[in-house]
Amino acid sequence: MQTIKQRFQVEYNYAVFFTQHLFDTQNPLLKDFFQAYTEQGFQRKALVIVDEGFEQTQPDLKSNIRAYFAQNAAHIQLAAEIISVPGGEACKNDPSQFDKLVEAVDVFGIDRHSFVIGIGGGAVLDLVGYAAAVSHRGIKLIRIPTTVLAQNDSGVGVKNSINFHGKKNFLGTFAPPVAVFNDLTFLRTLDDRDWRGGLAEAVKVALIKDQAFFEWIEEHATALAARDEEAMAYLIHRCAEMHTDHIAGGDPFEFGSSRPLDFGHWAAHKLEFLTNFEVRHGEAVAIGIALDCVYAHKIGMLAESDLHRIIDVLTKVGFELYHSKLAENDKINLRNGLQEFREHLGGRLTIMLLEKIGKGVEVHELDADIIAQSVDYLESSKIIPA
Amino acid sequence: MQTIKQRFQVEYNYAVFFTQHLFDTQNPLLKDFFQAYTEQGFQRKALVIVDEGFEQTQPDLKSNIRAYFAQNAAHIQLAAEIISVPGGEACKNDPSQFDKLVEAVDVFGIDRHSFVIGIGGGAVLDLVGYAAAVSHRGIKLIRIPTTVLAQNDSGVGVKNSINFHGKKNFLGTFAPPVAVFNDLTFLRTLDDRDWRGGLAEAVKVALIKDQAFFEWIEEHATALAARDEEAMAYLIHRCAEMHTDHIAGGDPFEFGSSRPLDFGHWAAHKLEFLTNFEVRHGEAVAIGIALDCVYAHKIGMLAESDLHRIIDVLTKVGFELYHSKLAENDKINLRNGLQEFREHLGGRLTIMLLEKIGKGVEVHELDADIIAQSVDYLESSKIIPA
Ligand SMILES: NC(=O)c1ccc[n+]([C@@H]2O[C@H](COP(=O)([O-])OP(=O)(O)OC[C@H]3O[C@@H](n4cnc5c(N)ncnc54)[C@H](O)[C@@H]3O)[C@@H](O)[C@H]2O)c1
Ligand SMILES: NC(=O)c1ccc[n+]([C@@H]2O[C@H](COP(=O)([O-])OP(=O)(O)OC[C@H]3O[C@@H](n4cnc5c(N)ncnc54)[C@H](O)[C@@H]3O)[C@@H](O)[C@H]2O)c1
Ligand SMILES: [Zn+2]
Ligand SMILES: [Zn+2]
């Protein structure tokens, strides 16, 4: 009998909006969004899930949300309860948080044409995105990121995940949101480490794709470190744009082996794990970038002047570029990290290195001795003032 | 700041192969498939998961699989263990089965470029498909369906799911396989109820889309009931073709409210639930089709002659078209069923009814009294010999 060949395409659309004071009843952005979705014959519902770490800094958050939705009840019906989940990696590690969200979907009758709205850092958005993606085979997801990293990187992309038995991001899906709302004012309450964290992803994307943007970051490094909001607004917008362009232009659901946006990430993942997530994602990425740039320089790929500029800008915005866990156990951990990275991605090992500022290039192996020498370089250069 | 508009497409391709004696070392089909996937630089792995109900009827299954893979070790590396899971709804109800599969993915180092291969009925394939879809954000899935329903319907489609707190299919994703292998000889050990079950889906798809195919089923009803393999081979191929065409031609991931392939399914889902899955899916669908056809006749939509032909063909292949649970509690259960169906799908209630054989039409409400009368009709007509 003849083989049946199946082939089809699925199209995804979403917008990333930039605003301030999203839940101010005078701000029409969210209202207009729901209004555009209004259809005859049924009313859409919304289940809102909030990052507790964010909530604690915004005592009026839930009442503002209720007031905003009450005003727009003709277009959208808020579920009776606004759910809170712990912020940070904890929520991705605890399976009962996932269960709690799926139960809420059931209890509040949230269907595939309703919205799940996640408000929080990258970790909470990853959890909420996963729960929404697998409940009823996918409920419409709105992301409202509240950290720099979530606004310029994770929150505008197409991935979600939770951890499984301590394995980072082991469970997840590719599931684009229907909209992302970036509110600059939400970043005011971030502590300095989380304000800074997202800057590593900006340096990353500039390095592999856009020299001019790297130079802009160099010029504004001091302002960014001093929490200048205008500079941050531009940085987030530019990153979000490059990130979404990258997704649309390439292989959105990563069917192939190439993952350029994981530049600097293989060592970062291992370092997060080795420090039990005490080193945060952005901080680890900064170290990962530095390590891979030293490596690229050592193999004669990257000019020394470029390496110095990269290390300078990372240091200027406030990152430390060495951690003692990097050298522990005679660097054997890092070697394992490379292997784990390959296994998580699968396929042929593919690592992005830097040829020059603004231009990445993929390689398929790294030399363990040169990795070790690169760690030594970072260790010794940390005592030299930047 | 300017809104960023994201838009991209994701393309999916897969083949449905038809064969006999798939794991015979002389059969090159599977080998050729893996060979076509061979790439330099890494070896792909395969984790095989088998339906225990099927396995019990095929004492040599696991050793045949091992022999087949051993012969093709250059192209594919079989994980050390072949995993067994209980067949039928039990595996979708028990969360520890899902955990077991995800753990196996971890333990055996199955990455996104490896294959998870599910062998079994629709329930096992739903569980395996879900576990594969969410592990590492999606491992390549091969389905080897072993029931009629799985070969002609569920196994060739794009959905997976497990149950959550007794809620049928509450967790799941849309995740196309990379290939489906339908082996006719695997159907020989099915009990009569499961042989017959898949015929209801064939009648369903014929009724809404293809009069000629319905007539073919009418002509071969006796042969099909008598387990004629040649007739079954044709029926499965034609259904699989219509099913994949439907997916590719419309809204593969069901972003809209229309779900024509759910014809006959709203009452079926409720009946499965009310009988604690004692009535199997295909049996319930046969009753659901009959009920909605009686309804369509009662509202003047479907001619009486068409109704009789439909009831005749369903009866001839061996279905009972009434179940006492349909009438229990003054039919209040069925009314709930309609509401639950709407909630699961969300959006506007959209039910496919029949205008004539070969042509469905969507409606947005059903009248509870006429549903009740339709139940009465089925109850009384069951005593009239077909
Ligand atoms: N899905 C993706 O594509 C992707 C990409 C990169 C990273 N990530 C994930 O993102 C996570 C890291 O996210 P993150 O860097 O946003 O940190 P985070 O989510 O871990 O949040 C850090 C802390 O900040 C708190 N917080 C959040 N918003 C706040 C605010 N406005 N004011 C004060 N406190 C606030 C949180 O409660 C938490 O305690 C990791 O789990 C990582 O795996 C996902
Ligand atoms: N994903 C979808 O699109 C989709 C569509 C329709 C139905 N389904 C699901 O499919 C399931 C029903 O599937 P099904 O009808 O294939 O039944 P099933 O998977 O429940 O299997 C029925 C029984 O047959 C046994 N079995 C399987 N193959 C056998 C063989 N060759 N010989 C002997 N015994 C065998 C199983 O162990 C089980 O006990 C339901 O869970 C339903 O929700 C999914
Ligand atoms: Zn990152
Ligand atoms: Zn069905």
Side-chain angles (χ1 to χ4, degrees), chain B residues 51 53-54 87-89 92 121-123 126 146-147 154 159 168 186 189:
Chain B
D51 183 323
F54 175 59
E89 212 59 29
K92 290 172 67 174
D126 268 3
T146 64
T147 65
S154 76
K159 298 194 252 184
K168 174 95 174 162
F186 287 169
T189 51

Side-chain angles (χ1 to χ4, degrees), chain A residues 75-97:
Chain A
H75 308 302
I76 189 85
Q77 183 196 340
L78 184 66
E81 198 184 328
I82 296 177
I83 315 271
S84 303
V85 289
E89 213 58 30
C91 74
K92 290 172 67 172
N93 275 325
D94 173 4
S96 77
Q97 297 298 330

Side-chain angles (χ1 to χ4, degrees), chain A residues 86-107:
Chain A
E89 213 58 30
C91 74
K92 290 172 67 172
N93 275 325
D94 173 4
S96 77
Q97 297 298 330
F98 169 79
D99 279 6
K100 181 171 91 179
L101 298 190
V102 176
E103 265 157 38
V105 165
D106 182 18
V107 168

Side-chain angles (χ1 to χ4, degrees), chain A residues 341-353:
Chain A
F341 189 72
R342 197 203 70 76
E343 267 182 24
H344 179 63
L345 302 192
R348 198 169 169 201
L349 178 68
T350 305
I351 297 279
M352 179 65 99
L353 289 182

Side-chain angles (χ1 to χ4, degrees), chain A residues 2 4 6-8 10-12 14 16 103 111-112 134 136-137 160 165 170 172 237 254 343, chain B residues 2 4 6-8 10-12 14 16 103 111-112 134 136-137 160 165 170 172 237 254 343:
Chain A
Q2 189 144 16
I4 296 172
Q6 173 69 311
R7 179 202 198 98
F8 60 85
V10 179
E11 184 171 307
Y12 295 92
Y14 60 95
V16 182
E103 265 157 38
D111 61 42
R112 298 192 64 220
V134 299
H136 295 304
R137 300 200 186 98
N160 58 58
H165 295 189
F170 200 88
H237 191 277
E254 299 175 4
E343 267 182 24
Chain B
Q2 190 144 15
I4 296 173
Q6 171 70 309
R7 180 201 197 100
F8 60 85
V10 179
E11 183 171 308
Y12 295 92
Y14 61 94
V16 183
E103 264 157 38
D111 60 42
R112 298 192 65 218
V134 299
H136 295 303
R137 300 200 185 98
N160 59 57
H165 295 188
F170 200 88
H237 192 274
E254 299 175 5
E343 268 182 22

Side-chain angles (χ1 to χ4, degrees), chain A residues 15 53 171 189 254 296 309 325:
Chain A
L171 296 177
T189 52
E254 299 175 4
R309 284 173 71 187
K325 286 276 177 192

